[in-house]
Each structure stands twice: as C-alpha cells, then as structure tokens.
RNA sequence: CGGGGCGUAGCGCAGCCUGGUAGCGCAUCUGCUUUGGGAGCAGAGGGCCGGGGGUUCGAAUCCCUCCGCCCCGACCA
C-alpha cells in the first residue's frame, strides 16, 4: 500500500521562477520532476509513475503490431557515416570519443541501427514484413531547450521501424501505426488531431504528425471540424473565396502610375482605393541549395503573391528544392529586380527559364492564377502599374502554392458551396509516422531475396512517439480546461495514482482504520490508490491532493460516522457521497 | 549564434544605485494550542551573496572575466 506519509512528494507552494508554461509549473510544483540543467530533468516518484503508465499503454498497443527491442544509445560513427548523417545531423548530435579515439555519438534516432540489424539478419521475403520498436532515451543537442519538458535534450521516445517488400506492404505497416497511435493517444486521454506533415529533407513520400492543440506548442496547424481536414501550416492549403477583379482602365494594358511614398501594401491599396487582394506583392530571397559537400549555390528568387497573403517559406523551399532562404538586401534587389523594396513587381524581369537554371527564379503563387487587372510595383521608386494580368503581362519560372493558409478560409476538401472554416492554432507534436522509402536500406545495403530469387531492397517506414510529451500535452490540456487556482487533474490512465484517499484526521483512529481498509479494498480491486495518512491538517492534504493531479479523491472524514465517504471527481468538478461498502464498485465503473 | 532578463537559505524575493561584513515571507526543526481547504504563539537551525580576478583599509554592492538558467529570434530527422 502506498502511504503518503512515507513517500517523497516534494510539493512546492511557490512556482520556481524559471517555469513559464503550465506543464512546467505543474511538474515542478507537484513534485514530478526536478531540473538538472537546460533541457535535462530528473523524474521523481510521481513523474516516473506517470511515465510508466504511459509506456505501459504504448507497449500494450505496440505489441499488437510489432516487437519490442532495445538498442544501444551509444553508437559508433561508422553507421552514421554510411548513411551520410554523420555530417548532415550537424551540431544537433552529441558526439564523443572513446579511449582509443574512435568517434561515437549518442543516438537521436535509430534508422541506421535498425537498418543495420535488418541488413545483417534479413535474408528472405518470407521474413517480411517486420515491425521493430523500442522505448529508449534519445539525445539531441537542441539549440534552445525550452518550455520545461516540451523541448529537451534527453527524452524517452518510442521509435519503430517497418521493413516491407513493396509499397503496398509499407502502406499496411503505416496504417497499422496510424491505428495504434490513435488508440494510444485516446487511451492516454488526449484530444489530438492527425495532420499532414511536410516530408522535408528526409525525402519520404507520406508523413503524418499527431498534434495536441495548446498555446504552449511550437507548431501551427490548420484543421476543419467540418471536413476533418488537418495539416501542419507548413503544408496546409485552403480554398479561397473568389475575388472580384477590377475593371480595366484606359486601354486595359499595364499603365504606369506615379505613387510617391506608397511602399507598404496598405498604402498602395488606399492610394488606388482597392483591397490588398487586388495587389501583387513581392518577396525576394537568396536561396541556398543544400550541398552535402558544403558547396552551397546561391540562387536569386522572386516570389509573387496576392497582396494580403503571406509567403510560406517551407513550401517555397520545397518548390525550389533548396535548403535555406534569406531575404535579399538592397543591393541584391537592385541587381536582380532593378528596384527598391516596396516597389517590386513581376513585369519585365529576366527570369530563369527552368528551376535551377541561371538567372532570377520567378515563383508565382497559385492564388494569382486567372486573376486580371491587378496592381503591382514597377521596379522603380515611387511607381506602380495597374491593369496587370498574370500570363498576359508577365510569365514565371514556376507557378506553385507558396502561401500560408489563413484562419477562416475553407478547408481544401470542402465541397463547393459549403463552409468549412479552418482553425489555425498552436500545437505540440506528440507523434510522427513517416514513410521513409528506400533511402536507409539502400545507403546501408540491406537486401532480401524475393520469391523469384532476386535481390531487392526492402522499403522502410519510421514512427516516433515522445513519451514525456504525452504527459506534458495532457497537462497543458488539463490546465487549459481547469478553473485557475484549484490545480488540475490528469487523465486517469496516466495519472501517477488513480485515487487518493484523504484521511482528514489521522489521530482519529477510526478514520485512519477506515481509510486503510478502503485503500486495501481498492488495491485488491486493481485500482491504483494512494493513502494520505500524513499527520497534517485536512486543508494541507486537500491542497496537496489537488496539486498533484490525481483525478479522484476520497475524503474519509465526518461522514464516516454515517457510513459514508465523499468522492470528488476532480475532472468533472463534482462530488458525491458514497456508502463505504459501495466505494469499490463506484470507482470501478467511474 | 543574435537580442533581452536573471543568478542572494529548499521555494519566492529585498538589499546593490550611494561599499562598512546579509534580511523578509513561506518551508524545515522543538514546545504548547489547534484539527474539513496551505493554523496560532514562542523559540531554533540553515547562506564561500554562481565561479575567478581586480579596485579598496574594507566588496553581495564598483570594474573585468568566465559559467549557468529563463525568454524572443535563428535553428529544430
């Protein structure tokens, strides 16, 4: 039986000044964790119990689709050199040398190691598919650990890897993970959305992130409750409301207009008495292509969008196949566009004929496609054009979606004529599933024989869950829904204890005996119970019970004389009196 | 890495400007009273004032330097 009087639960009355986000404050105040350094935390009793609850759920679901391994976290450089990531991981990887001077690193992910096992051991298509997973500590030298447990340098990850014969097989492994992840997060009591994610530099074909909406999050996601659409803002698209084009003026051809001092879009729109949606804006960049050898090529890029839209640099990078963007400085604007910021436009530019070709790459956002009689800069100080029609008056290197979707725009999959406004909000990523393809299997030379006796490369997927992030996301979610001041309660499945029995006065032998008896009964019924038998005033124990996040509290006090105890459901904010003999059944069906 | 803030008792803070050898609240320990929402009274313990160097008769306080932590940005398979 767990007796609070003999446990180490160092609750704090005041929040350490370093903590800002709700989950960090909670974890410190409730005595779940203590900080060692930036992004390094020790888990104490309550924190570790919660993590154990979470990993038990993860194991339970993962064991249905895969097999648990445990790989080393200390890894030789050689594998990473073979995959090429010894260099591309850069400073995010913790590196060290052993006594012989050999290079080692601390694992930040385990594609290489799992693939190494696969290439040594898998020989035949008869052995596939395989799904191998582990729950293990990962190390990442983050440039800026922050927000308590949300971004740390050492954390637990459930990572799994699938090996299949072909894309259909990969689709099945991916779907199995999708279903398992949904089951895991649901059992952990989280409200989450699965979003389309940017596949990024990994080059995979499909990728999905599992996100929990919270103000403490670092990602922005767009979702529609109507259609179920959900995507990371890096990838989200939207259906735009139609815009009425302006009527042409004069002969309908581009007309140069003197616009002194009208550089900002709002000023230009006011000057012409138009909406920013009738304007073309330009953002000019120098893109750097990621050269693995370090020989990065600089490429000038002019991006044109509707005046009221924002460039999505992740999308733009994807279109360009580049690794890095920075905006042009004044000299570069003069060199490539011939005009100053605020007066840039697409007319008369000498553009690259193809992506990667020499000259200025002109990227036009799809929202400008089919538009007519727009206003844009003239690449000349204090001048704009009107009557500008894309396609007729200027051309481009590439037409692509490079803008950010905005809150309130309709989801892209909304049927025509129906409303499906997007909600855009901050979110924290708790899981990620990813179709890797052949990259690692090829780089490391994993091959199996197919039914025809030919060597083929297995296709891989990789899938991750941040264990601590399940806890922090659940806390953030509970904090968002909790009335302030009274503490918060965790979902029963991941709370360190399901029930706390608060004996209001342990010097009353009858109350203490009743509390102990009830705790024994609950324990026998398989309920995870904590008996608060401390010799403290009732108020102190109530406050502590509220603070540590246990969702159900049983008050053993005055009403025992009438054969009753008070059961407080902290998540529901309700309390009821229950007869002593019915407590177990009451809490079981709760 | 750029910008900002902060390191004084377990936690929260004052003292620093204007140098004179450290203080408050909570927590902890002891005693008495109290006992259903962080009790009251009385007493006690606890500090290389982040480290190093300098100025000075004297440094928590002024100067230099290093380290650490937090926030914004950059970054984040």
């Amino acid at each position: 039986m767990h007796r609070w009087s003999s446990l180490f639960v160092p609750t704090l009355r005041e929040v350490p000044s370093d903590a800002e986000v709700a989950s960090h404050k909670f974890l410190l105040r409730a005595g779940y964790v203590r900080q060692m350094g930036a992004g390094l935390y020790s888990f104490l009793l309550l924190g570790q119990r919660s993590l154990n609850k979470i990993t038990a759920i993860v194991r339970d679901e993962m064991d249905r689709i895969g097999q648990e391994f445990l790989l080393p976290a200390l890894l030789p450089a050689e594998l990473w050199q073979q995959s090429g990531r010894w260099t591309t991981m850069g400073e995010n990887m913790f590196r060290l040398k052993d006594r012989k001077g050999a290079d080692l690193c601390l694992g930040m992910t385990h594609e290489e190691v799992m693939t190494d096992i696969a290439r040594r051991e898998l020989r035949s298509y008869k052995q596939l598919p395989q799904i191998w997973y582990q729950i293990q500590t990962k190390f990442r030298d983050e440039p800026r650990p922050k927000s308590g447990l949300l971004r740390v340098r050492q954390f637990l990850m459930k990572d799994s890897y699938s090996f299949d014969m072909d894309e259909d097989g990969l689709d099945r492994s991916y779907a199995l993970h999708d279903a398992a992840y949904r089951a895991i997060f649901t059992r952990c009591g989280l409200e989450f959305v699965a979003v389309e994610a940017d596949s990024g530099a990994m080059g995979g074909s499909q990728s999905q992130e599992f996100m929990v909406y919270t103000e403490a999050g670092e990602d922005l996601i767009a979702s529609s409750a109507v259609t179920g659409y959900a995507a990371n803002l890096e990838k989200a698209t939207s259906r735009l409301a139609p815009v009425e084009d302006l009527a042409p003026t004069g002969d309908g051809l581009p007309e140069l207009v003197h616009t002194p001092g009208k550089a900002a879009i709002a000023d230009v729109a006011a000057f012409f008495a138009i909406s920013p949606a009738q304007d073309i804006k330009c953002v000019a960049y120098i893109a750097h292509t990621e050269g693995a050898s370090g020989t990065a090529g600089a490429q000038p890029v002019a991006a044109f969008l509707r005046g009221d839209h924002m460039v999505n640099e992740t999308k733009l990078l994807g279109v360009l196949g580049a690794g890095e963007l920075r905006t042009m400085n004044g000299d570069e604007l003069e060199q490539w566009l011939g005009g100053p910021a605020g007066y840039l436009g697409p007319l008369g530019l000498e553009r690259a004929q193809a992506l990667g070709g020499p000259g200025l790459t002109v990227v036009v956002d799809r929202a400008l496609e089919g538009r007519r009689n727009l206003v844009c800069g003239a690449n000349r100080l204090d001048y704009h054009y009107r009557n500008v029609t894309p396609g007729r008056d200027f051309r481009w290197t590439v037409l692509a979606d490079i803008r950010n979707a905005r809150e309130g725009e309709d989801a892209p999959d909304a049927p025509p004529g129906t409303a499906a406004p997007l909600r855009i909000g901050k979110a924290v990523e708790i899981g990620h599933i990813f179709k890797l393809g052949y990259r690692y299997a090829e780089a490391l030379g994993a091959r199996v024989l197919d039914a025809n006796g030919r060597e083929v490369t297995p296709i891989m997927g990789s899938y991750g869950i941040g264990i601590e992030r399940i806890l922090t996301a659940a806390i953030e979610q509970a904090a968002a829904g909790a009335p302030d001041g009274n503490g918060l309660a965790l979902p029963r499945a991941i709370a360190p204890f399901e029930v706390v029995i608060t004996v209001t006065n342990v010097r009353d032998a009858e109350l203490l005996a009743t509390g102990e008896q009830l705790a024994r009964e609950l324990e026998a019924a398989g309920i995870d119970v904590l008996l608060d038998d401390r010799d403290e005033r009732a108020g102190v124990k109530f406050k502590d019970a509220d603070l540590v996040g246990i969702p159900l509290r049983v008050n053993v006090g005055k009403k025992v004389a009438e054969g009753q105890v008070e059961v407080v459901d902290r998540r529901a904010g309700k309390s009821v009196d229950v007869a002593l003999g019915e407590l177990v059944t009451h809490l079981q069906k709760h």
Side-chain angles (χ1 to χ4, degrees):
Chain A
M1 185 188 302
H2 296 280
R3 294 172 178 270
W4 199 320
S5 61
S6 54
L7 299 183
F8 182 62
V9 182
T11 56
L12 299 175
R13 292 201 179 188
E14 287 176 281
V15 191
S17 56
D18 284 348
E20 281 217 350
V21 300
S23 55
H24 193 196
K25 290 178 182 170
F26 172 88
L27 289 165
L28 288 170
R29 277 201 72 200
Y32 279 48
V33 304
R34 287 296 183 258
Q35 183 166 9
M36 278 258 18
L40 300 172
Y41 288 86
S42 303
F43 279 79
L44 310 185
L45 173 79
L46 295 186
Q48 174 64 1
R49 286 185 68 90
S50 267
L51 292 185
N52 283 341
K53 297 273 176 90
I54 293 166
T55 52
I57 291 170
V58 170
R59 277 201 175 90
D60 187 49
E61 295 295 335
M62 286 304 301
D63 282 343
R64 296 167 198 255
I65 68 168
Q67 306 148 68
E68 183 172 7
F69 288 15
L70 181 60
L71 309 181
L74 182 62
L75 303 168
E78 191 185 357
L79 268 181
W80 296 80
Q81 286 158 348
Q82 285 176 24
S83 74
R85 292 209 285 186
W86 183 255
T87 49
T88 58
M89 282 301 193
E91 299 203 304
N92 258 25
M93 184 184 261
F94 280 106
R95 297 158 200 265
L96 60 161
K97 286 185 189 294
D98 67 14
R99 62 171 70 204
K100 297 176 199 160
D103 286 312
L104 299 164
C105 66
L106 297 178
M108 47 196 298
T109 177
H110 277 69
E111 280 82 7
E112 281 83 353
V113 189
M114 281 291 191
T115 308
D116 178 60
I117 295 172
R119 73 176 169 183
R120 291 167 188 273
E121 309 291 339
L122 296 178
R123 291 287 167 264
S124 160
Y125 72 98
K126 293 178 186 172
Q127 292 173 294
L128 297 189
Q130 291 289 338
I131 292 175
W132 299 337
Y133 83 95
Q134 63 169 342
I135 296 171
Q136 186 220 34
T137 303
K138 297 285 187 274
F139 299 87
R140 296 183 187 185
D141 194 358
E142 291 287 344
R144 183 150 94 84
K146 60 176 189 174
S147 305
L149 273 285
L150 280 175
R151 180 162 293 279
V152 291
R153 295 194 289 178
Q154 169 178 346
F155 58 97
L156 281 173
M157 180 187 260
K158 188 291 299 174
D159 50 324
S160 48
Y161 306 86
S162 64
F163 299 86
D164 281 281
M165 283 301 288
D166 51 33
E167 290 191 14
D168 287 347
L170 175 57
D171 288 347
R172 282 191 293 275
S173 293
Y174 185 88
L176 284 173
H177 278 87
D178 182 41
Y181 278 32
R182 287 171 193 273
I184 288 166
F185 301 138
T186 301
R187 284 178 64 183
C188 288
L190 290 171
E191 286 169 34
F192 63 94
V193 288
V195 307
E196 289 175 30
D198 181 50
S199 305
M202 294 278 290
S205 57
Q206 190 182 356
S207 168
Q208 197 171 280
E209 292 165 338
F210 293 84
M211 314 286 285
V212 174
Y213 272 115
T214 157
E215 277 305 303
E218 299 183 280
D219 288 286
L220 286 171
I221 59 175
S223 67
S224 160
V226 178
T227 66
Y229 176 81
N232 195 305
L233 196 64
E234 292 177 346
K235 195 166 178 177
T237 59
S238 64
R239 197 183 62 197
L240 291 172
V243 182
E244 194 163 333
D245 286 318
L246 298 171
T249 59
D251 61 3
L253 292 176
E255 176 194 352
L256 195 61
V257 180
H258 188 48
T259 53
K262 307 300 180 192
I265 286 169
D267 293 339
V268 174
F271 181 89
F272 286 97
I274 58 174
S275 100
Q278 314 287 0
D279 187 43
I280 298 177
K281 80 187 228 185
C282 177
V283 189
Y285 293 97
I286 300 292
H288 287 271
T289 320
E290 242 177 351
S293 53
T295 56
Q299 178 188 10
V301 179
F304 294 99
L305 299 90
R306 213 169 86 177
D308 57 333
H309 287 164
M310 299 281 289
V311 179
N312 180 318
E313 295 189 355
T314 305
K315 289 181 181 177
L316 182 57
L317 283 172
V319 168
L320 297 170
E324 230 174 275
L325 283 179
R326 65 167 176 83
T327 51
M328 282 191 191
N329 61 34
D331 291 345
E332 289 161 341
L333 289 176
E334 185 61 37
Q335 178 189 353
W336 294 104
L337 290 120
Y343 301 93
L344 302 172
L347 270 60
L349 295 176
E350 282 187 38
R351 67 179 197 280
Q353 294 301 307
L355 276 174
L360 179 71
T361 301
V362 175
V363 185
V364 171
D365 184 65
R366 285 202 180 278
L368 292 177
E369 193 177 15
R371 298 289 310 282
R372 304 177 60 80
N373 304 322
L374 297 156
V375 167
C376 68
N379 295 324
R380 178 177 166 191
L381 182 66
D382 291 343
Y383 282 92
H384 281 78
Y385 282 112
R386 69 167 84 179
N387 297 331
V388 173
T389 296
R392 181 192 70 182
D393 301 322
F394 67 91
R395 296 186 177 280
W396 43 81
T397 307
V398 60
L399 181 72
D401 170 35
I402 56 166
R403 73 180 175 90
N404 273 334
R406 278 186 302 189
E407 178 134 325
E409 291 170 357
D410 287 316
D413 56 351
T418 61
L422 290 176
R423 171 191 174 196
I424 295 182
K426 288 184 183 174
V428 57
E429 178 185 347
I430 52 174
H432 197 165
I433 58 178
F434 200 95
K435 291 184 182 174
L436 276 182
Y438 297 99
R439 173 176 168 179
Y440 293 93
E442 259 168 16
L444 297 177
R447 276 183 287 278
V448 296
L449 292 180
D450 70 9
N452 302 315
R454 278 190 327 221
E455 274 200 334
V456 296
T457 303
I459 188 166
M460 291 176 60
S462 88
Y463 317 86
I465 289 178
I467 300 295
E468 291 95 331
R469 277 194 180 177
I470 291 182
L471 177 58
T472 50
I475 296 166
E476 291 291 339
Q477 212 165 66
D484 32 34
N486 291 332
L488 54 89
L490 292 180
R492 183 166 175 174
I494 66 171
F497 292 96
E498 298 175 271
V499 179
V500 54
I501 294 182
T502 302
V503 178
T504 57
N505 182 0
V506 295
R507 298 193 180 183
D508 182 326
E510 188 196 348
L511 292 188
L512 181 58
T514 305
E516 288 177 338
Q517 174 61 22
L518 291 173
R520 275 192 293 272
E521 287 173 15
L522 292 181
E523 213 164 57
I527 293 173
D528 206 3
V529 61
L530 171 62
L531 176 68
D532 190 351
D533 60 342
R534 291 176 299 167
D535 184 9
E536 291 283 352
R537 297 164 61 86
V540 172
K541 294 201 274 192
F542 289 146
K543 289 286 187 189
D544 265 346
D546 287 354
L547 181 57
V548 300
I550 298 172
L552 294 162
R553 188 178 80 221
V554 177
N555 296 342
V556 177
K558 296 169 185 164
K559 289 169 184 158
V560 166
E562 303 153 32
Q564 291 193 316
V565 289
E566 188 180 12
V567 177
V568 182
D569 180 340
R570 302 214 27 252
R571 299 208 107 207
K574 292 179 193 157
S575 59
V576 292
D577 292 337
V578 176
L580 290 176
E582 290 164 17
L583 183 65
V584 169
T585 38
H586 179 83
L587 291 176
Q588 269 174 334
K589 70 184 177 196
H590 204 87

